[in-house]
Amino acid sequence: MSDHAIVLEEVSKRYYLGARGGLRHLGRELLRRDAREQLWALRDVSFELEAGRSLALVGPNGAGKSTLLKLVSRVTKPTSGSVRVRGRLASLIEIGAGFHAELTGRENVFLNGAILGMSRREIARRLDDIVAFAELERFIDTPVKRYSSGMFARLGFSVAIHTDPEILLIDEVLAVGDARFRRRSYERVQELTREHRTVVVVSHQMSMVRRVCERGIMLEGGRVTFSGSAEAVARHYESSTSLYATLREDFGDSGIEIDILDVLPVRGGRELTTGEQIRLRGRIRCGPDVDHGVLTLSLHRVDDLVILVDRSPQPLPVAGTAEVEATLPLAAAPGRYYLHLSVRDPGEPQSVHEDACVAIDVHGDDPYLSAAVAAVPVSWEVTRTGELVP
């Protein structure tokens, strides 16, 4: 393994659809196993990551990214192939993973620290730093069942980075934090790589991939389809995103499902042009346990800069479904953008419960817009007031 922190050789992972766990169902599942449909989450995946390097895993939902992280973190075992990891590992794979809902934030810090191999004395010594980084001083003695998803993510990330991991695995959970916390998190991850720590990140945000990672791997259908520098992988991912393929961030079981059906010009046709009115149509489904949330629409550049954001005045369809239609001016310079339809926490607007986005390509031939962030209509009036006398 020499200087490699992570080595995967011909790794495959198979699941059986409809399988149920537990001793109660064990005999029945063994008898039915050959007849059930198989799902290969990963097929013949191989790569090596040197210690102190950073790697991004990108790809559409269902590509096998989270499964790969679970194999590296030893949450599950491969069906075939080998996974070798060398170094103290901390993982942030799911929001709330390792937390006990009835315990306070402080108690969960000690619980998580113990799971990650820290002694009680070590945890106590770093407690103030953990709480300060998570910005939860007022809420650290509150049961975490009252935490928002953003608060969960901040506390989990803070605990993970303060355990002095040699290897840090991060799934898409940082997407639920606000912009300031994401920026601080990215800076901390960069610090870890400078300290010769190994980092593996799963993300749909190519701005994070470009900023944090050196290398990248793209997965599709459980197989590696592209690998290279982080910039090359980000460009490949962006260019391969279908115009109307809805991308969803995985925020766990939020009880909410969002689909974007289409994004078309109000005037008709399909090509989207700078400055015109466009209409988004979508569908949202909310389970019976969803009792709050705000529906928002936002337009992002490929580097995740937010061009515009707005919120719906109508409430969510609690325990029901609803059709969504939003009309907005396409105040964006020519280029590729991501249009997000999201449900956010009303008490913490930067905290996202569920999100779907679609890639759109904006066209235009005005050369003056090539360096613009946004294309805002301006009303001009130039009045001649006199003549120059030679």
Side-chain angles (χ1 to χ4, degrees):
M1 210 169 156
S2 62
D3 292 331
H4 293 104
I6 302 172
V7 176
L8 272 70
E9 295 180 343
E10 301 293 324
V11 170
S12 297
K13 179 63 179 178
R14 176 184 57 203
Y15 293 101
Y16 289 96
L17 298 184
R20 292 185 289 183
L23 293 175
R24 178 183 176 185
H25 304 287
L26 179 60
R28 186 185 307 167
E29 296 300 330
L30 289 174
L31 290 173
R32 295 177 55 231
R33 175 160 293 189
D34 292 337
R36 288 198 312 267
E37 184 180 354
Q38 299 180 6
L39 172 66
W40 287 94
L42 292 172
R43 292 300 297 261
D44 303 322
V45 174
S46 299
F47 72 85
E48 298 177 343
L49 183 60
E50 296 178 353
R53 299 293 184 180
S54 52
L55 175 73
L57 300 176
V58 307
N61 287 336
K65 306 182 299 294
S66 295
T67 299
L68 197 156
L69 279 196
K70 290 176 181 178
L71 290 172
V72 174
S73 61
R74 305 185 183 95
V75 172
T76 186
K77 294 181 178 180
T79 303
S80 62
S82 66
V83 178
R84 289 176 285 163
V85 179
R86 187 177 68 180
R88 182 175 180 176
L89 184 147
S91 59
L92 195 61
I93 297 180
E94 295 179 2
I95 294 175
F99 286 86
H100 192 294
E102 299 298 331
L103 299 182
T104 66
R106 185 187 306 273
E107 292 165 337
N108 271 291
V109 168
F110 281 91
L111 174 62
N112 263 256
I115 292 173
L116 294 173
M118 297 174 67
S119 68
R120 186 174 182 84
R121 180 175 296 179
E122 285 181 294
I123 301 169
R125 188 172 68 249
R126 302 178 190 182
L127 180 63
D128 290 345
D129 292 335
I130 292 172
V131 176
F133 189 91
E135 299 177 338
L136 291 173
E137 291 90 344
R138 290 179 55 201
F139 309 102
I140 196 61
D141 291 310
T142 299
V144 298
K145 65 182 180 181
R146 299 193 176 97
Y147 281 16
S148 68
S149 55
M151 295 165 75
F152 264 122
R154 296 204 303 269
L155 187 59
F157 181 78
S158 188
V159 172
I161 64 173
H162 283 90
T163 59
D164 287 335
E166 295 172 300
I167 302 171
L168 180 63
L169 309 179
I170 308 173
D171 209 335
E172 194 64 61
V173 294
L174 292 184
V176 303
D178 60 32
R180 188 163 68 95
F181 180 74
R182 285 203 304 269
R183 183 173 62 253
R184 293 173 57 229
S185 300
Y186 298 165
E187 290 170 354
R188 182 62 183 127
V189 171
Q190 288 175 311
E191 289 177 14
L192 290 173
T193 58
R194 287 194 292 269
E195 295 169 0
H196 204 63
R197 312 296 175 91
T198 306
V199 178
V200 181
V201 174
V202 168
S203 184
H204 289 298
Q205 299 181 22
M206 295 303 103
S207 59
M208 180 181 185
V209 170
R210 289 182 168 99
R211 182 172 180 178
V212 171
C213 300
E214 300 164 297
R215 290 179 51 202
I217 290 174
M218 183 164 175
L219 292 169
E220 293 180 277
R223 297 180 183 273
V224 176
T225 57
F226 190 84
S227 63
S229 69
E231 176 63 30
V233 170
R235 288 184 179 276
H236 183 78
Y237 176 78
E238 289 166 352
S239 66
S240 65
T241 304
S242 172
L243 180 60
Y244 294 116
T246 301
L247 304 175
R248 294 178 181 79
E249 310 287 7
D250 185 4
F251 298 110
D253 187 10
S254 65
I256 303 168
E257 294 182 25
I258 303 173
D259 289 299
I260 296 176
L261 303 178
D262 57 42
V263 180
L264 296 170
V266 171
R267 59 172 168 77
R270 301 191 68 84
E271 184 174 286
L272 306 178
T273 306
T274 293
E276 70 177 346
Q277 294 282 318
I278 64 172
R279 181 176 293 117
L280 174 146
R281 292 191 313 113
R283 182 183 299 114
I284 183 170
R285 293 176 286 275
C286 295
D289 296 330
V290 178
D291 58 0
H292 68 289
V294 175
L295 186 62
T296 66
L297 182 70
S298 56
L299 182 67
H300 300 237
R301 279 195 330 197
V302 292
D303 62 358
D304 213 29
L305 178 71
V306 180
I307 305 298
L308 63 86
V309 63
D310 195 23
R311 59 180 291 176
S312 169
Q314 282 85 29
L316 290 178
V318 178
T321 63
E323 298 293 324
V324 177
E325 186 172 296
T327 303
L328 66 149
L330 191 51
R336 169 154 287 203
Y337 297 84
Y338 291 98
L339 196 57
H340 289 254
L341 190 60
S342 313
V343 174
R344 300 172 183 263
D345 191 319
E348 194 173 351
Q350 298 299 327
S351 179
V352 180
H353 289 320
E354 195 66 35
D355 176 86
C357 78
V358 61
I360 63 173
D361 290 311
V362 179
H363 300 271
D365 55 8
D366 188 341
Y368 289 96
L369 293 176
S370 60
V373 173
V376 180
V378 177
S379 180
W380 289 79
E381 184 174 335
V382 180
T383 304
R384 188 180 182 88
T385 58
E387 297 182 2
L388 294 177
V389 178

